[in-house]
Amino acid sequence: GSERASAPAKRGVAEPASGAVPATVELPESGTPDWSSLLGRLRLSGAVRELARNIQLQTRSGSDWRFLIPEDVQYLGDERNLKQLQTELSSQLGQPVNLAIATVKQAVASPAVAGEQAELRRMSDAEKAIEEDPTVRALKERFGARILEDSIQPLQ
C-alpha cells in the first residue's frame, strides 16, 4: 500500500474575525525602526499616506518620534494629516505616540525616495538588458536599428 503523509489539523488557533483589529507591531526598545516596513502596515490613504511616504524617521525615543520632511512637500505635514498619522501609528503600536516633524532643505531618505530609486534601478537594468541582447545588437549592426529610449519598460 501507499503511504499518505497528512498534515496535522490545526486546533486551538483562533482565526481573527473579519474587521478585527490587527496585532500590534513589535518595535525594538532602542534604535530606529524601519519606517518603510512599518509604513506598509499602516492603514493610510490620500494626503496622510503621501505625508508618511515622504518623511524620514530621524529618531525615536520612547513614545516620541521625530521625522524630517523636505521643504518642497512640507504642506503635507499640516496639523490634520499629522494628527491622523499619529492616531494610526498609535493604534498599530498599541501605545500612544507623539509625532514631531522638522522641515529640511535637503532630500530625505523617505520610502517615496527609496521607491523611486528602486524604479530607476529596474529601468537601468532593463535598458542594459536590451542593449546587451544579441538579437538587438545584430539588428543595430546589420540594419542600423536604434532603440527608442521611452519604449523600454522593465518586466513587472
Side-chain angles (χ1 to χ4, degrees), residues 46-122:
V48 180
R49 183 173 184 275
E50 284 307 300
L51 167 63
R53 288 185 67 244
N54 284 282
I55 55 179
Q56 173 188 338
L57 179 57
Q58 182 185 31
T59 59
R60 173 182 157 257
S61 176
S63 63
D64 294 326
W65 295 56
R66 181 177 168 82
F67 291 92
L68 301 176
I69 189 167
E71 202 172 49
D72 60 338
V73 291
Q74 70 181 357
Y75 64 90
L76 291 170
D78 67 17
E79 190 67 32
R80 186 174 149 269
N81 290 343
L82 191 58
K83 191 73 170 165
Q84 285 183 344
L85 178 57
Q86 182 172 294
T87 299
E88 176 59 17
L89 189 55
S90 296
S91 171
Q92 283 294 321
L93 297 176
Q95 64 188 35
V97 172
N98 300 313
L99 301 186
I101 294 185
T103 303
V104 292
K105 291 188 184 302
Q106 73 272 19
V108 300
S110 67
V113 169
E116 289 167 7
Q117 289 172 343
E119 182 62 27
L120 288 174
R121 279 193 300 276
R122 279 195 297 277

